[in-house]
Amino acid sequence: MAQQHNNLDLFFYPSSVALVGASSRTGPAALNVLEQMLNSGYQGRIYPVNPRGGVILGLPVHASVTDIAEPVDLAVVATPRTEVPAVVRQCVAKGIKAVLIITQGFADANDRTGQELHREIMAAIAGTQTRLVGPNTIGLVNSLINLHTSFIEFDFRTAPVGLICQSGIFVNAADDFSGGVGIGVDIGNSVDIGFTECLEYLAARPEIKVINIHMEGLREGRDFLAAARRITPHKPVLVLKTGATEEGARAVCSHSGSMAGADDVFTAAFAQSGIIRVDQAARFAGLNRTLTTYRSMRGRRVGLITVSGGAGIMAADAAGTYGLEIANFSPATMAALQEMFPDWMSPGNPADIWPAAMARGYREVLTAALDKMLADDAVDAVLCNTTAYLDPDTDPQNLVGPINEVAARYPHKPTAVWTIGPHKTAYAAKYAGGAVVAYSSPDEAMYCLSRLYYYHSAVKGGISDALNEEQPAANSGFGTVQTILATALRAGRTVLDYEALDILEAYGIPVVRRYLARSREEAASLAGILGYPLVMKIASPDVPHKSDWGGVLLNITSAEQAAQAYQQIEDQIRSRLPEVRMDGIMLQRQAAGSVEVILGARRDPQFGPVLVYGLGGIYTELVRDVSCRVAPVSGAAALAMMKETCSYPILSGARGREAVDIKAVADCLVNLGLLLRDHPEIAEADINPLLVTAAGCLAVDALMVLAGDDDE
Amino acid sequence: MAQQHNNLDLFFYPSSVALVGASSRTGPAALNVLEQMLNSGYQGRIYPVNPRGGVILGLPVHASVTDIAEPVDLAVVATPRTEVPAVVRQCVAKGIKAVLIITQGFADANDRTGQELHREIMAAIAGTQTRLVGPNTIGLVNSLINLHTSFIEFDFRTAPVGLICQSGIFVNAADDFSGGVGIGVDIGNSVDIGFTECLEYLAARPEIKVINIHMEGLREGRDFLAAARRITPHKPVLVLKTGATEEGARAVCSHSGSMAGADDVFTAAFAQSGIIRVDQAARFAGLNRTLTTYRSMRGRRVGLITVSGGAGIMAADAAGTYGLEIANFSPATMAALQEMFPDWMSPGNPADIWPAAMARGYREVLTAALDKMLADDAVDAVLCNTTAYLDPDTDPQNLVGPINEVAARYPHKPTAVWTIGPHKTAYAAKYAGGAVVAYSSPDEAMYCLSRLYYYHSAVKGGISDALNEEQPAANSGFGTVQTILATALRAGRTVLDYEALDILEAYGIPVVRRYLARSREEAASLAGILGYPLVMKIASPDVPHKSDWGGVLLNITSAEQAAQAYQQIEDQIRSRLPEVRMDGIMLQRQAAGSVEVILGARRDPQFGPVLVYGLGGIYTELVRDVSCRVAPVSGAAALAMMKETCSYPILSGARGREAVDIKAVADCLVNLGLLLRDHPEIAEADINPLLVTAAGCLAVDALMVLAGDDDE
């Protein structure tokens, strides 16, 4: 859609709202939007609209939006679906620039009527100043002005959280999922306003400190990533991408570019844009508190204070689960702890303060231990395990105040608390708004701290692993590739094998020396030029698994053998596959690598060109030890791709192996990414294998599929 | 310890309790055990004991347990540690058979005094009828008789849950962790009564329906597994084993038997005994409700009812995460749903009932959809996502009753609920005690249902993957192995290489044909007998990495070459390693496999012999794609070990590969397990590689370490 205006303030901060399709049924569970809106305390003007007219809940009802005398900022539409297009046209006529359609049954419907109504709505706003949220949405919420458009009771709990979702439950149960909300919107079918615009809007709002997104699907992949990349260094963006499992199940298929599934690409794309991907809705609330309470976290090293040895071990386990480290306290901290501890007990991390607390007082020992740990240069954060056995209002051991006091003195080191006991929820509430976050479990605490550290180390201040848009606009091999592709497509060929090597070579990827022979004699003479040993392979667009058809011969060591091999391959193919085209027979120097890797590329429906990397061989696929990135990538990102696979030590020289030329492989990934960026005709590309030695790398076999291939 | 009696009723159902070390300080946070005990409503007699005498909380104080006139079932000791041995001796003198020591600072202390006090206590009960729980424990709880010995406020919430832990927090915050408790005990240092006895006690108590264990360490590994294996088919046992991460980090080292870390062995051992291992304390409560509410779950296929499309997708994701399947509804179910749904909406699974509910009534549609799904043979369980936007007491759409009613008609198919909204906790309480469990998230629901299915399919009625104790008592090769081991140990040799192959052969593991030559001439003539090509290797206990020292030569194809090779190896070793012993040079037929696998074995400190299996090569170790079992194993268990690795398809014939003789490998695992069971002298054994073809398998290299080797 053309974007006529992008002032989403009309949606989120309207001065007046027309409610089209206002119902006269009221009371609990009546699902009356008007009633909810009135109950919520919104201070703007509200105009109920219903052709039946009359008065609902004390407000006069207009027959149509065009009957409203005053200007209207936002129209909320909840009529039966067949009436919606007419209502939208009336909104346009009235000059309403913000329309939100709650009604279901448009592009989301399975019937023809739904699709037709969808087109009618789009036609109604085309070329106008009117923008749409929805249809098929619970609507929006702005807790800051007590506005919400949901038909369900809404408990406003204001939090500096911006929310974009594709399911109303996140709006209606924001308290549950995100721990409250500031501005939120269910984009529904998002036929006009979608993720990217809402993200940019929330990013610009100073009252919003963190953005939560629930995403089922994404259309504008590249735009969304570009926006996120600009925003995330300044404001954390958390995404719950659902539908992960189903897509993951489809992942394993035969092309190496498909070794990474659709969901893996989302994971990579989010990371490349500084987005923190969450794995469950239940993660949002803790992360929001964490990211809005703590100013930073500068390292992975965690100090643990516990009133129970067992709890300390659980906390240490959780730290390990999320890649945090158990701090090694400095001698000064150890000495300070030993002074408090009974003689028979050596301090450590976790520090079990219980016996010391019994002897010297719980508050004294806990606050002193916390202070010493936070002052220790070897500590980046502290998790205190404390008791919540008594009501915090009457508990003589309520240490919320003292802990907050110590924590506030170390603003760059998070002090986290995990309370145990029946009053844990009441205790958590006491910590709200202070310098400390109270978590429900050590698992939640360590998960959130690990994401906090990730945000401050890898996202804030710039994303090192970003999509590399500063690559040269065109490669010197651009023209060569254009010619090869044009020739192939003119000939109706959409699967390239030997030409694929030429294309790779044109983009600077080292390729094995080779010649195409078109006769026995030519094979013999080209063999002499290449040197031995040689491999010979049928060159044909119609023989995908060449060796299965006798199309490959190895270990050719003389011109005579080369001539014989030519004949043998030709005879095999002619007799077994008489219909196929034969472009000749390829002669290659037989090469060997210390290691073989696979580079793949494909076009993702959301994000465009995607690179996949893995060690060669079937095992890589079985254990799914591959990495992927949205392309193109920088050299650093390519190296990071390689490093995140488990197989990396095989390349870097584990167990006395010879280290191979890792940079050469990274360069190939960079160039393969540029190739796909520059040539949209290439739908898929595989280099399998790329031979790698200490001296460099060499592509010996490659396959490309061009767009338009029906087999793909 | 000798077990003088095992009537733990004296601990858990005492008629009278002496509290030694009773404190006169009372009130909130006074940590007064006596006060807590009195407050909790325990109906037995309580005798405070303190040399200072007097009256505490209205009870006369005895100077010593021996001053109590009546018999005492249980003594609870909370004196300073130095007084404990004397107290225990007095308890023995008084004839008290159950003593629980709260005091810390014994075997758990780092000082000599602690260790001495520990020995004094053990000496005090040796040969007596007195049994100990603790020291270093918060004590025990029996909610059924309002007894607890903790110094912290305790909110009794009775549940049919038995609890054994090594940290008081599980007792004190049982409500948090296990969702209430029936009988529970913190075994502390467990110097006398430990996990196994408590497990057996709880297993025998009819009021306990599920057992929760928090375990930091385990001494009596085999006994515990044997007890668990007997118990789990009748009563579910859940274990949280902490310290997982730390141990996991130590796992990767050079022996293939160590490819599986200590924590992996716990995982395997628990699975072999039918124990459900939980990964966080927060898992207990949901599992306890699940296992005590639902009678069974007969398959993995889940039906999903949702009031929000987005929630349905989240539930489907969670099902996939835990290995459950989204049911394909029968045509009858689909037709019934379509009848309720609006025309424009096709039903599916998840079934989003919201539009239908709007048109035909929430209760009508939800209960009808639930009933149809539960009646469907293609459905094993249903998760309903429902709203909790209003207080359940006033919510006109409170469907707790109707949902329970439908659920109760299908006792063998769990109906689970996940509510969304601010009143979810209140709603969960309404479901308690009925036929339905209300979960806090789809993740919790699917996790719990997956474990329920696992329990009913794999544990209840017998564990198929059990430790195989029905193996023959001794192998026909037993004597041969005894002789080889005795000879080696007499010679002071604890690392065996070529003899290791002899040992394996004696236990029925196919081993490459080979001869030990002691001269050039012998090498030449033995070569002729073996046939070609050959491999020759130095036979020496002192050369571990033979090829690094020129001790291995390949591709020997004639008697003459064999003689030369003998000389060459001998010269290399003599010049480079003049000090080493040379037993001769081994000649082996050079063999090749379609696949190479590694079989390892070692002795685990908790569980004894452990088997490890993986594909050959460094990659297996990098991706940790190995499986392990406590040995010995049955053939079926050995096969299951192989199948649970990602590499299994490489053996079973993935991608057109030739399938190899999997059963031959399984037989080797069985025999290797018997070997370690029968010969405790063998500390470690590695077969690396075992060559596998379609026709069988062949061990070509092996190493054994005998107990007593200081290098290990």
Side-chain angles (χ1 to χ4, degrees):
Chain A
M1 287 307 301
Q3 293 184 7
Q4 299 88 351
H5 71 92
N6 61 5
N7 185 1
L8 300 191
D9 279 342
L10 290 172
F11 284 94
F12 295 112
Y13 282 94
S15 304
S16 53
V17 179
L19 181 55
V20 189
S23 160
S24 55
R25 197 171 149 245
T26 61
L31 307 178
N32 185 323
V33 179
L34 177 62
E35 187 178 21
Q36 300 304 334
M37 206 181 270
L38 290 169
N39 287 348
S40 67
Y42 168 63
Q43 298 297 309
R45 281 162 290 143
I46 303 179
Y47 305 100
V49 176
N50 194 314
R52 274 174 281 180
V55 171
I56 304 174
L57 295 164
L59 290 175
V61 179
H62 297 77
S64 157
V65 289
T66 49
D67 294 345
I68 303 170
E70 297 84 6
V72 171
D73 282 351
L74 171 66
V76 174
V77 182
T79 65
R81 64 173 180 163
T82 49
E83 296 167 23
V84 171
V87 169
V88 173
R89 283 190 291 268
Q90 286 154 11
C91 288
V92 170
K94 166 71 183 163
I96 300 175
K97 293 179 179 169
V99 175
L100 187 155
I101 304 170
I102 293 175
T103 313
Q104 299 185 305
F106 297 89
D108 52 307
N110 289 313
D111 64 349
R112 182 175 291 191
T113 309
Q115 308 306 317
E116 276 165 14
L117 291 169
H118 164 65
R119 281 190 293 272
E120 275 191 67
I121 293 169
M122 300 313 286
I125 62 163
T128 75
Q129 293 277 303
T130 300
R131 303 295 308 277
L132 287 187
V133 164
N136 184 22
T137 171
I138 204 98
L140 59 85
V141 56
N142 185 344
S143 296
L144 306 161
I145 59 164
N146 293 331
L147 169 70
H148 81 100
T149 66
S150 164
F151 46 77
I152 283 176
E153 279 72 6
F154 191 82
D155 240 353
F156 283 109
R157 181 170 144 198
T158 303
V161 175
L163 173 68
I164 314 167
C165 60
Q166 289 188 295
S167 171
I169 59 169
F170 288 93
V171 174
N172 288 327
D175 200 32
D176 253 25
F177 289 116
S178 49
V181 66
I183 298 172
V185 57
D186 171 5
I187 60 172
N189 293 356
S190 61
V191 296
D192 179 24
I193 293 171
F195 283 112
T196 310
E197 258 186 283
C198 292
L199 177 62
E200 283 171 332
Y201 179 79
L202 293 172
R205 298 298 317 182
E207 65 273 32
I208 297 302
K209 304 295 182 201
V210 54
I211 297 167
N212 291 183
I213 298 176
H214 158 255
M215 182 184 285
E216 293 178 352
L218 177 65
R219 288 196 208 96
E220 67 271 23
R222 287 260 166 177
D223 289 347
F224 178 78
L225 294 188
R229 200 166 63 250
R230 286 191 303 274
I231 292 162
T232 54
H234 312 292
K235 199 174 276 190
V237 176
L238 316 178
V239 176
L240 172 71
K241 168 69 181 71
T242 61
T245 305
E246 190 195 1
E247 292 169 331
R250 275 190 271 133
V252 179
C253 63
S254 59
H255 279 286
S256 50
S258 302
M259 289 193 303
D263 194 63
D264 300 318
V265 176
F266 271 101
T267 298
F270 290 162
Q272 286 176 273
S273 308
I275 288 168
I276 297 173
R277 183 173 185 174
V278 303
D279 57 349
Q280 307 176 25
R283 298 295 199 183
F284 279 129
L287 282 176
N288 289 337
R289 282 199 303 274
T290 302
L291 289 160
T292 56
T293 300
Y294 300 125
R295 214 178 293 173
S296 73
M297 179 161 163
R298 291 173 170 171
R300 300 177 189 277
R301 302 161 308 171
V302 181
L304 299 170
I305 296 175
T306 181
V307 291
S308 141
I313 294 172
M314 286 193 274
D317 279 353
T321 299
Y322 297 109
L324 297 175
E325 293 161 10
I326 306 306
N328 285 312
F329 296 140
S330 72
T333 303
M334 290 295 274
L337 290 171
Q338 185 66 78
E339 205 155 300
M340 294 184 265
F341 276 35
D343 290 343
W344 54 265
M345 193 178 185
S346 303
N349 190 14
D352 179 356
I353 62 162
W354 188 254
M358 290 298 88
R360 294 161 184 264
Y362 185 39
R363 186 177 68 182
E364 293 70 18
V365 169
L366 194 147
T367 54
L370 178 59
D371 191 58
K372 292 292 175 192
M373 287 188 196
L374 288 169
D376 191 332
D377 285 342
V379 173
D380 300 306
V382 177
L383 176 64
C384 296
N385 160 241
T386 65
T387 57
Y389 296 125
L390 299 174
D391 183 324
D393 288 332
T394 56
D395 186 354
Q397 298 194 330
N398 176 336
L399 301 189
V400 174
I403 289 174
N404 256 308
E405 221 167 87
V406 178
R409 290 206 296 275
Y410 300 90
H412 289 287
K413 291 189 181 179
T415 299
V417 160
W418 160 48
T419 66
I420 298 175
H423 298 273
K424 61 192 290 184
T425 311
Y427 257 98
K430 293 284 171 194
Y431 280 103
V436 170
V437 178
Y439 295 96
S440 61
S441 67
D443 185 84
E444 188 190 30
M446 293 302 174
Y447 171 78
C448 289
L449 290 178
S450 77
R451 298 301 82 197
L452 177 72
Y453 171 66
Y454 169 76
Y455 180 72
H456 284 279
S457 62
V459 180
K460 207 171 165 70
I463 302 141
S464 64
D465 192 25
L467 292 180
N468 190 325
E469 296 188 319
E470 279 74 47
Q471 290 285 347
N475 191 288
S476 64
F478 184 85
T480 309
V481 173
Q482 284 288 79
T483 307
I484 299 171
L485 292 174
T487 308
L489 286 170
R490 259 199 311 275
R493 297 177 51 186
T494 53
V495 178
L496 308 185
D497 54 355
Y498 64 92
E499 300 105 315
L501 292 174
D502 298 335
I503 290 172
L504 295 172
E505 202 163 42
Y507 262 63
I509 292 171
V511 173
V512 67
R513 278 188 74 197
R514 69 215 177 278
Y515 289 115
L516 184 64
R518 290 170 204 278
S519 68
R520 282 181 59 119
E521 296 69 30
E522 205 180 3
S525 82
L526 291 172
I529 299 169
L530 276 173
Y532 305 99
L534 286 175
V535 182
M536 290 175 65
K537 296 180 199 170
I538 174 77
S540 163
D542 305 325
V543 187
H545 297 288
K546 298 174 174 23
S547 47
D548 293 357
W549 301 101
V552 181
L553 288 173
L554 306 175
N555 282 321
I556 289 148
T557 56
S558 68
E560 192 181 333
Q561 282 181 18
Q564 281 168 3
Y566 190 100
Q567 194 64 55
Q568 188 180 329
I569 291 172
E570 190 173 36
D571 293 349
Q572 281 287 323
I573 298 297
R574 287 274 174 260
S575 69
R576 296 172 70 183
L577 298 168
E579 303 298 315
V580 308
R581 286 167 290 184
M582 261 186 69
D583 295 336
I585 289 173
M586 183 66 60
L587 285 79
Q588 294 185 354
R589 273 303 291 274
Q590 193 161 314
S594 312
V595 178
E596 299 186 0
V597 301
I598 303 175
L599 313 188
R602 64 177 159 88
R603 286 189 195 278
D604 182 82
Q606 276 84 30
F607 300 113
V610 164
L611 292 168
V612 181
Y613 164 85
L615 194 70
I618 185 179
Y619 202 12
T620 293
E621 221 173 287
L622 291 173
V623 297
R624 294 179 58 74
D625 181 31
V626 296
S627 56
C628 67
R629 289 287 187 288
V630 175
V633 294
S634 66
L639 197 61
M641 274 182 86
M642 298 171 68
K643 283 188 179 167
E644 76 190 32
T645 61
C646 295
S647 63
Y648 182 73
I650 294 176
L651 278 70
S652 67
R655 298 279 161 81
R657 296 174 69 102
E658 183 190 41
V660 300
D661 189 346
I662 289 158
K663 190 180 170 304
V665 180
D667 288 344
C668 292
L669 282 163
V670 170
N671 288 326
L672 186 61
L674 293 174
L675 179 68
L676 263 83
R677 180 200 64 179
D678 294 348
H679 301 281
E681 303 92 331
I682 304 173
E684 288 186 18
D686 278 314
I687 306 177
N688 185 4
L690 181 77
L691 305 179
V692 197
T693 65
C697 63
L698 209 57
V700 297
D701 223 334
L703 194 77
M704 287 184 193
V705 178
L706 306 189
D709 179 30
D710 289 337
D711 296 342
E712 262 309 298
Chain B
M1 285 306 302
Q3 294 184 6
Q4 299 88 351
H5 70 93
N6 61 5
N7 184 0
L8 299 192
D9 280 341
L10 290 173
F11 285 94
F12 295 111
Y13 283 93
S15 304
S16 53
V17 180
L19 181 55
V20 191
S23 160
S24 55
R25 199 174 147 243
T26 60
L31 306 179
N32 186 323
V33 179
L34 176 62
E35 186 177 20
Q36 299 304 335
M37 205 181 271
L38 290 169
N39 287 346
S40 68
Y42 168 63
Q43 298 296 310
R45 283 160 291 142
I46 302 178
Y47 305 99
V49 177
N50 193 314
R52 276 174 281 182
V55 172
I56 304 174
L57 295 164
L59 291 175
V61 179
H62 296 78
S64 157
V65 289
T66 49
D67 293 346
I68 302 169
E70 298 82 5
V72 171
D73 282 350
L74 170 66
V76 174
V77 183
T79 66
R81 64 173 180 164
T82 48
E83 296 167 23
V84 172
V87 170
V88 173
R89 284 190 290 268
Q90 287 154 13
C91 288
V92 171
K94 167 71 183 163
I96 301 175
K97 293 179 179 170
V99 175
L100 185 153
I101 303 171
I102 293 174
T103 313
Q104 300 185 302
F106 297 88
D108 51 307
N110 289 313
D111 65 347
R112 182 175 291 192
T113 309
Q115 308 306 317
E116 276 165 12
L117 291 169
H118 163 67
R119 282 190 292 271
E120 276 192 68
I121 294 169
M122 300 311 288
I125 62 164
T128 75
Q129 292 278 306
T130 301
R131 303 295 310 276
L132 288 187
V133 165
N136 184 22
T137 170
I138 205 97
L140 60 85
V141 57
N142 185 342
S143 295
L144 306 161
I145 60 164
N146 292 332
L147 169 70
H148 80 102
T149 66
S150 163
F151 46 76
I152 283 176
E153 279 72 5
F154 192 80
D155 240 354
F156 283 108
R157 180 170 144 198
T158 303
V161 175
L163 173 70
I164 314 167
C165 58
Q166 290 188 294
S167 172
I169 59 169
F170 288 92
V171 174
N172 289 326
D175 199 31
D176 253 23
F177 289 116
S178 50
V181 65
I183 299 173
V185 58
D186 170 6
I187 60 172
N189 292 356
S190 61
V191 299
D192 180 22
I193 293 171
F195 283 111
T196 310
E197 257 186 284
C198 292
L199 177 62
E200 283 170 331
Y201 179 78
L202 293 173
R205 299 297 319 181
E207 65 274 34
I208 298 300
K209 305 296 181 199
V210 54
I211 297 168
N212 292 182
I213 297 177
H214 158 254
M215 182 183 284
E216 292 177 353
L218 178 66
R219 289 196 209 96
E220 67 269 25
R222 288 260 165 178
D223 289 348
F224 177 79
L225 294 189
R229 202 167 60 251
R230 287 191 304 272
I231 291 162
T232 55
H234 313 291
K235 200 173 276 190
V237 176
L238 316 178
V239 176
L240 172 71
K241 168 70 181 70
T242 62
T245 304
E246 189 195 3
E247 291 169 331
R250 275 190 272 132
V252 178
C253 64
S254 59
H255 280 288
S256 51
S258 302
M259 288 192 304
D263 193 64
D264 300 318
V265 176
F266 272 99
T267 298
F270 291 161
Q272 287 175 273
S273 307
I275 288 169
I276 296 173
R277 183 172 186 176
V278 302
D279 57 349
Q280 306 176 27
R283 298 296 199 184
F284 278 129
L287 283 176
N288 289 336
R289 282 199 304 272
T290 302
L291 289 159
T292 56
T293 300
Y294 301 124
R295 213 179 292 173
S296 73
M297 178 160 162
R298 291 173 169 170
R300 300 176 189 275
R301 302 161 305 168
V302 182
L304 300 169
I305 295 175
T306 182
V307 291
S308 141
I313 294 172
M314 285 194 276
D317 278 352
T321 299
Y322 296 109
L324 297 176
E325 292 161 11
I326 306 306
N328 285 312
F329 295 139
S330 72
T333 303
M334 289 296 273
L337 290 171
Q338 184 67 76
E339 205 155 302
M340 293 184 265
F341 276 35
D343 291 342
W344 56 264
M345 195 178 183
S346 303
N349 190 12
D352 179 356
I353 61 161
W354 188 253
M358 290 298 88
R360 292 161 185 267
Y362 185 39
R363 186 177 67 184
E364 293 69 18
V365 169
L366 194 147
T367 53
L370 179 59
D371 192 58
K372 291 293 173 191
M373 287 188 195
L374 288 169
D376 190 331
D377 285 341
V379 174
D380 300 306
V382 177
L383 175 63
C384 296
N385 160 240
T386 64
T387 57
Y389 295 125
L390 300 173
D391 184 324
D393 289 331
T394 56
D395 186 355
Q397 299 194 329
N398 176 337
L399 302 188
V400 174
I403 290 174
N404 255 309
E405 222 166 85
V406 179
R409 290 206 297 274
Y410 300 91
H412 290 285
K413 291 190 183 181
T415 299
V417 160
W418 159 47
T419 66
I420 297 176
H423 298 273
K424 62 193 287 184
T425 311
Y427 257 98
K430 295 284 170 193
Y431 281 102
V436 170
V437 179
Y439 296 96
S440 62
S441 66
D443 185 86
E444 189 190 30
M446 293 302 173
Y447 171 79
C448 289
L449 291 178
S450 77
R451 298 300 82 199
L452 177 73
Y453 170 67
Y454 169 77
Y455 180 71
H456 283 278
S457 62
V459 180
K460 206 169 164 74
I463 301 142
S464 62
D465 190 27
L467 290 180
N468 189 325
E469 298 188 319
E470 279 73 49
Q471 290 286 346
N475 192 288
S476 63
F478 184 86
T480 309
V481 174
Q482 283 288 79
T483 307
I484 298 171
L485 292 174
T487 308
L489 287 169
R490 260 200 310 277
R493 297 179 49 187
T494 54
V495 178
L496 307 185
D497 53 356
Y498 65 91
E499 302 105 315
L501 291 173
D502 298 336
I503 290 173
L504 295 172
E505 201 162 42
Y507 262 62
I509 292 172
V511 173
V512 67
R513 280 190 72 199
R514 68 215 177 277
Y515 289 115
L516 184 63
R518 292 169 202 278
S519 68
R520 282 180 59 121
E521 297 69 30
E522 205 178 1
S525 81
L526 290 172
I529 299 169
L530 276 173
Y532 305 99
L534 286 175
V535 182
M536 291 176 63
K537 296 179 199 171
I538 174 77
S540 164
D542 306 326
V543 187
H545 299 287
K546 298 176 175 21
S547 47
D548 294 356
W549 301 101
V552 180
L553 288 173
L554 307 174
N555 283 320
I556 289 147
T557 56
S558 69
E560 190 181 334
Q561 282 181 17
Q564 279 167 1
Y566 190 99
Q567 194 64 54
Q568 187 181 330
I569 291 172
E570 190 173 39
D571 292 349
Q572 280 287 324
I573 298 296
R574 286 275 172 260
S575 69
R576 297 172 70 184
L577 298 167
E579 304 297 315
V580 307
R581 287 169 288 184
M582 262 185 68
D583 295 337
I585 288 173
M586 182 66 62
L587 284 78
Q588 294 185 355
R589 271 304 289 274
Q590 193 161 314
S594 313
V595 179
E596 299 187 359
V597 301
I598 303 175
L599 312 188
R602 63 177 160 86
R603 286 189 195 276
D604 181 83
Q606 276 84 31
F607 300 112
V610 164
L611 291 169
V612 181
Y613 164 84
L615 193 71
I618 184 178
Y619 203 13
T620 293
E621 221 172 285
L622 290 174
V623 298
R624 295 179 58 73
D625 181 31
V626 297
S627 56
C628 67
R629 290 288 188 284
V630 175
V633 294
S634 66
L639 198 60
M641 274 182 86
M642 297 171 68
K643 283 188 179 168
E644 77 189 31
T645 60
C646 295
S647 64
Y648 182 72
I650 294 176
L651 279 70
S652 67
R655 300 279 160 81
R657 297 174 69 102
E658 184 190 42
V660 301
D661 190 346
I662 289 160
K663 189 178 172 306
V665 180
D667 288 344
C668 292
L669 282 164
V670 171
N671 288 327
L672 187 60
L674 293 174
L675 179 67
L676 263 83
R677 180 199 63 180
D678 294 348
H679 301 280
E681 303 92 329
I682 303 174
E684 289 185 18
D686 279 313
I687 306 177
N688 184 6
L690 181 77
L691 305 180
V692 196
T693 65
C697 64
L698 208 57
V700 297
D701 222 334
L703 194 76
M704 287 182 192
V705 178
L706 306 188
D709 177 33
D710 289 336
D711 295 341
E712 263 311 299

